[in-house]
């Protein structure tokens, strides 16, 4: 092979320029980058505001006005900004991605700008079939005004105009609606979008004669008293989010360049529900669906704020996750935490009203923050055998703080434990068991113990050995009946007398029973595997109350079949009282016992034992 043929040709090494299909790019913008065509107006406002910012960087006294005029499927946007020369037009408007903020030494002032001129103007093709830009440069006053006209097929023309076509520096953008997009250029829609996006812009923005920008921001306005300020902010919240807040929290974090307010929701929401917040970037609305702005535990507030430090994503419709956002999130979380501790210290009535709705959010925070847990101890409500109490009050009443990890376990033991003088907290609700276990860390000396079946049984009175021996036949028949269900039978004396039987187990016993059920239904291979996992956990137990009159009558029976039916009935009733989910075997048992008792009641032979 000739050595020269192995070398790449000169033509293959020469650079090529990407060819852009403008129609395809517009489709990409409208269906993938931007969430809605409405962003076209934000891009126009951003370009106008950036142009004014650029001019004022060189001419601090320059006018700062943006005017929008919509009529008959067209829109005209005028600004008094820096303007463009013919050279600027060729380099900025004809090159996708080029930004005027990189030019002419303005890189250092880039933080003052909102967007990127080229890509922002291109976004207007989402609603327009033709864009015409007329501009005159403030940097080069002697330069003739220039006109740039582009259509959505990717073609454009540039020409200079007489000086009288644009007497003052600035830029005017003309849009002509594309087919099917005329509604986006109506005066009503333009006014609504401008008010939504630009209400906090620092310049004079108007649609026709109507003022859009209304500064200062609602949270920066002065009021005669704190009460009138709360009323004004509550009105702002209702207009913005559609609800009247329980309270407002100022979010002033100067080091993070953040100012705004958090509104406390008036009704409970799920912690799993993603909160959406409104974020303005240098006055321009960036997004109304910012989800990562606050810590996850602060799901009980909705925020609206303005920032100059957070970084937007490419679409400028959400926030870029970086170290700055993480720091702002932590700072805003600290402000909400400070508000809570302030209520605890100085306004217990407002705190109680808040906790009655949002105690779950505070519990979520307190489980990771000992200081917050210590502050909220007198306020956070828990379900206990003494009623709804705070951990502080419950710990003062009981030397040992017993708790259960599930609601089912609590329902099993609560009536009996209360009658025996054992205080129990229901730790089955979200975060509750974690907070109870953390109690000794903020209240030294407190003894916390998880309540299990053994502890409850130990607090029940034993039956006299002679009496229990006399009932050995009854107990043997009852145990034989429940043994296939993995349940033992125990005789005790306890209060209240109205409870005939108590079903007790713990998680280990339930896991062992679930394993046994699975082993029974599995094939030989899986039965062998599950059999090898058999544990030594204590079995569930049915505790019969020797003080209950019904138990005394049943224990005097002599018919083993009737004893078995009665025992099954007691077992099923105890499960139902504990509100435990029933297995298929339990449901079959309940049905069998019910039918058995009906048959016995309607077919009793003379002289045969019965329950009367």
């Amino acid at each position: 092979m000739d050595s020269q043929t192995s070398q790449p040709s000169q033509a293959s090494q020469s650079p090529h320029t990407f060819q852009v299909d403008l129609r395809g790019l517009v489709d990409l913008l409208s269906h993938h980058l931007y969430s809605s065509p409405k962003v076209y107006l934000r891009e126009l406002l951003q370009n106008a505001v950036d142009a004014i910012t650029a001019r004022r960087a060189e001419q601090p006294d320059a006018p700062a006005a943006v005017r929008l005029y919509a009529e008959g499927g067209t829109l005209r946007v005028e600004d008094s900004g820096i303007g463009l020369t013919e050279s600027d037009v060729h380099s900025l408007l004809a090159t996708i991605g080029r930004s005027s903020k990189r030019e002419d030494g303005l890189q250092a002032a880039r933080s003052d700008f909102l967007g990127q001129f080229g890509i922002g103007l291109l976004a207007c093709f989402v609603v327009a079939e033709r864009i015409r830009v007329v501009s005159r440069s403030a940097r080069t006053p002697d330069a003739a005004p220039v006109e740039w006209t582009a259509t959505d097929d990717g073609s454009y023309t540039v020409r200079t105009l007489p000086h009288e076509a644009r007497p003052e520096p600035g830029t005017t953008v003309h849009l002509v609606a594309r087919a099917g997009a005329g509604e986006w250029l109506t005066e009503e829609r333009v006014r609504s979008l401008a008010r939504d996006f630009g209400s906090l812009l620092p310049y004079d923005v108007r649609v026709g004669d109507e003022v859009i920008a209304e500064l200062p921001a609602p949270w920066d306005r002065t009021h005669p008293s704190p009460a009138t300020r709360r009323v004004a902010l509550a009105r702002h919240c209702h207009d913005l989010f559609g609800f009247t807040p329980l309270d407002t929290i100022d979010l002033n974090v100067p080091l993070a360049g953040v100012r705004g307010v958090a509104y406390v929701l008036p009704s409970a929401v799920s912690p799993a529900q993603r909160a959406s917040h409104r974020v303005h970037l240098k006055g321009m609305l960036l997004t109304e669906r910012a989800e990562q702005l606050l810590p996850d535990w602060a799901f009980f507030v909705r925020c609206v704020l303005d920032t100059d430090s957070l970084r937007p994503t490419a679409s400028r419709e959400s926030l870029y996750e970086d170290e700055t956002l993480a720091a702002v999130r932590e700072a805003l979380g600290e402000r909400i935490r400070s508000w809570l501790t302030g209520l605890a210290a100085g306004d217990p009535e407002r705190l109680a009203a808040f906790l009655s709705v949002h105690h779950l959010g505070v519990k979520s925070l307190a489980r990771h923050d000992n200081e917050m847990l210590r502050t909220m101890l007198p306020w956070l409500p828990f379900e206990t055998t003494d009623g709804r109490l705070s951990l502080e009050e419950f710990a003062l009443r009981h030397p040992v703080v017993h708790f259960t990890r599930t609601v089912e376990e609590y329902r099993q033991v609560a009536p009996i434990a209360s009658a025996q003088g054992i205080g129990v907290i229901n730790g089955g609700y979200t975060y509750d068991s974690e907070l109870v276990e953390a109690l000794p860390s903020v209240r030294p000396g407190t003894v916390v113990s998880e309540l299990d079946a053994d502890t409850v049984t130990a607090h029940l009175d034993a039956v006299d050995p002679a009496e229990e021996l006399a009932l050995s036949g009854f107990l043997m028949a009852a145990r034989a009946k429940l043994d296939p269900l993995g349940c033992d039978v125990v005789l005790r004396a306890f209060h209240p007398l109205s409870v005939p039987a108590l079903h007790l187990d713990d998680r280990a016993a339930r896991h062992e029973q679930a394993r046994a059920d699975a082993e029974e239904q599995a094939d030989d291979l899986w039965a062998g595997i599950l059999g090898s996992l058999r544990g030594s956990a204590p079995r569930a137990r049915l505790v019969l109350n020797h003080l209950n009159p019904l138990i005394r009558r049943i224990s005097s029976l002599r018919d083993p079949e009737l004893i078995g039916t009665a025992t099954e009935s007691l077992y099923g009733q105890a499960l139902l009282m504990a509100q435990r989910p029933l297995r298929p075997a339990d449901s079959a048992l309940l049905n069998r016992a019910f039918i058995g008792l009906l048959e016995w009641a309607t077919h009793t032979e003379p002289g045969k034992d019965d329950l009367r």
Side-chain angles (χ1 to χ4, degrees):
M1 179 184 295
D2 187 274
S3 61
Q4 290 184 347
T5 61
S6 64
Q7 299 296 323
S9 67
Q10 185 65 31
S12 65
Q13 295 181 7
S14 60
H16 298 277
T17 302
F18 282 107
Q19 301 299 311
V20 176
D21 178 0
L22 189 56
R23 290 184 185 273
L25 186 57
V26 169
D27 180 72
L28 177 67
L29 292 173
S30 59
H31 292 100
H32 300 283
L33 182 62
Y34 297 127
S35 62
S36 166
K38 69 180 183 180
V39 298
Y40 88 92
L41 193 70
R42 183 196 63 197
E43 300 295 343
L44 288 174
L45 287 176
Q46 284 182 346
N47 286 338
V49 169
D50 285 344
I52 294 173
T53 301
R55 184 175 180 184
R56 285 205 156 185
E58 301 178 6
Q59 305 171 16
D61 297 330
V66 181
R67 299 288 183 267
L68 297 91
Y69 304 95
E71 183 179 1
T74 64
L75 175 65
R76 185 171 85 255
V77 181
E78 301 177 352
D79 70 66
S80 59
I82 193 68
L84 303 171
T85 63
E86 183 177 3
S87 174
D88 294 333
V89 165
H90 283 289
S91 63
L92 299 178
L93 300 189
T95 305
I96 296 173
R98 181 75 60 85
S99 173
S100 61
K101 290 77 174 179
R102 299 188 181 96
E103 305 298 324
D104 301 316
L106 289 179
Q107 178 68 25
R110 188 176 176 83
S111 63
D112 293 331
F113 297 101
L114 297 171
Q116 186 164 309
F117 191 84
I119 197 73
L121 193 60
L122 184 64
C124 293
F125 280 120
V126 171
V127 298
E129 66 176 12
R130 183 162 59 91
I131 302 174
R132 185 166 70 95
V133 177
V134 177
S135 187
R136 182 169 183 174
S137 174
R139 292 197 188 107
T140 315
D142 295 335
V146 61
E147 177 190 70
W148 177 86
T149 304
T151 57
D152 59 3
D153 63 3
S155 63
Y156 72 92
T157 61
V158 178
R159 64 172 180 149
T160 57
L161 301 175
H163 284 278
E164 56 269 18
R166 177 83 197 192
E168 299 295 331
T171 299
T172 302
V173 179
H174 302 261
L175 301 186
V176 177
R178 64 190 309 161
E183 62 170 316
W184 292 103
L185 271 62
T186 62
E187 183 175 10
E188 182 180 357
R189 179 61 68 90
V190 168
R191 182 184 297 108
S192 174
L193 293 178
R195 190 182 297 117
D196 201 32
F197 284 120
S199 61
L200 300 184
L201 289 174
Y203 303 134
D204 179 13
V205 180
R206 304 188 185 197
V207 175
D209 296 327
E210 182 176 334
V211 177
I212 298 300
E214 299 178 356
L215 294 181
W219 48 85
D220 287 331
R221 295 170 190 169
T222 57
H223 297 275
S225 68
T228 56
R229 182 176 187 270
R230 280 199 297 270
V231 170
L233 288 176
R235 188 182 305 112
H236 175 251
C237 175
H238 190 274
D239 293 342
L240 207 59
F241 294 115
F243 66 85
T244 300
L246 279 179
D247 207 346
T248 59
I249 309 169
D250 284 314
L251 300 179
N252 184 14
V253 188
L255 292 179
V258 170
R259 283 193 62 81
V261 64
Y263 294 115
V264 181
L265 292 167
S267 56
V269 294
S270 167
Q273 180 178 332
R274 299 296 294 178
S276 296
H277 311 287
R278 288 176 65 95
V279 177
H280 295 256
L281 180 61
K282 305 178 188 70
M284 181 72 71
L285 179 66
L286 180 71
T287 179
E288 36 191 6
R289 296 187 302 273
E291 296 182 347
Q292 69 274 47
L293 186 66
L294 294 181
D296 290 340
W297 55 261
F299 54 83
F300 50 83
V301 298
R302 295 292 179 270
C303 295
V304 54
L305 54 83
D306 189 25
T307 176
D308 58 16
S309 64
L310 298 180
R311 177 183 170 191
T313 58
S315 66
R316 295 195 288 286
E317 292 187 280
S318 59
L319 297 171
Y320 188 81
E321 185 68 49
D322 58 11
E323 293 180 358
T324 301
L325 179 57
V328 168
R329 182 163 49 235
E330 182 177 350
L332 295 180
E334 183 58 39
R335 284 294 302 117
I336 298 174
R337 183 186 289 108
S338 298
W339 169 77
L340 281 171
T341 55
L343 287 186
D347 201 338
E349 291 186 2
R350 285 170 66 197
L351 178 64
F354 167 75
L355 289 178
S356 68
V357 178
H358 295 299
H359 58 273
L360 195 59
V362 180
K363 286 181 177 181
S364 175
L365 170 60
R367 68 194 176 114
H368 296 302
D369 189 327
N370 281 350
E371 189 59 37
M372 179 57 65
L373 177 58
R374 186 179 293 107
T375 301
M376 291 292 134
L377 272 180
W379 308 102
L380 288 175
F382 288 78
E383 182 181 356
T384 79
T385 49
D386 294 350
R388 288 188 70 79
L389 298 175
S390 69
L391 288 181
E392 177 74 16
E393 187 174 357
F394 187 86
L396 289 173
R397 296 186 182 187
H398 299 278
V400 178
V401 177
H402 291 287
F403 74 98
T404 63
R405 290 193 182 276
T406 68
V407 175
E408 289 78 11
E409 290 172 352
Y410 178 80
R411 288 169 177 165
Q412 277 183 300
V413 303
I416 308 303
S418 179
Q420 309 306 311
I422 307 173
V424 184
I425 296 176
N426 183 356
Y429 296 115
T430 307
Y431 311 132
D432 283 8
S433 61
E434 296 175 71
L435 293 176
V436 175
E437 289 182 298
L439 189 55
S441 66
V442 297
R443 197 177 187 275
T446 302
V447 179
V448 172
S449 175
E450 182 177 355
L451 190 67
D452 55 21
D454 289 335
T455 304
V456 176
T457 305
H459 279 78
L460 305 180
D461 294 334
V463 177
D464 182 85
E467 293 188 52
E468 188 167 1
L469 182 61
L471 298 176
S472 59
F474 160 73
L475 293 175
M476 185 178 299
R479 287 165 180 158
K481 198 66 175 178
L482 295 188
D483 183 69
L485 296 174
C487 183
D488 292 332
V489 177
V490 178
L491 188 65
R492 292 288 188 273
F494 57 86
H495 293 272
L497 300 180
S498 59
V499 177
L502 176 67
H503 181 271
L504 293 177
D505 64 1
D506 52 28
R507 286 188 305 282
R510 289 196 293 274
H511 291 163
E512 174 60 21
Q513 184 60 53
R515 185 209 59 77
D517 291 343
E519 179 183 356
E520 184 177 343
Q521 299 174 14
D523 57 27
D524 292 341
L525 173 61
W526 282 109
I529 295 174
L530 292 170
S532 67
L533 299 176
R534 183 180 296 112
S536 58
R539 305 207 310 169
R541 67 202 70 173
L542 182 68
V543 184
L544 303 179
N545 187 359
H546 188 53
L547 300 180
N548 180 268
L550 177 62
I551 295 298
R552 286 183 173 274
R553 290 198 296 272
I554 294 175
S555 64
S556 65
L557 297 174
R558 296 293 179 265
D559 186 333
E561 183 180 347
L562 182 56
I563 290 175
T565 300
T567 302
E568 287 181 330
S569 299
L570 291 170
Y571 173 82
Q573 188 263 354
L575 286 180
L576 293 175
M577 289 296 293
Q579 301 183 41
R580 288 284 306 279
L582 299 180
R583 299 172 297 166
D586 298 329
S587 299
L589 175 146
L590 277 171
N591 184 64
R592 183 172 63 248
F594 178 72
I595 297 300
L597 290 177
L598 285 179
E599 290 179 348
W600 194 270
T602 55
H603 296 87
T604 302
E605 299 176 6
K608 195 169 186 178
D609 288 329
D610 56 32
L611 297 180
R612 293 173 293 176

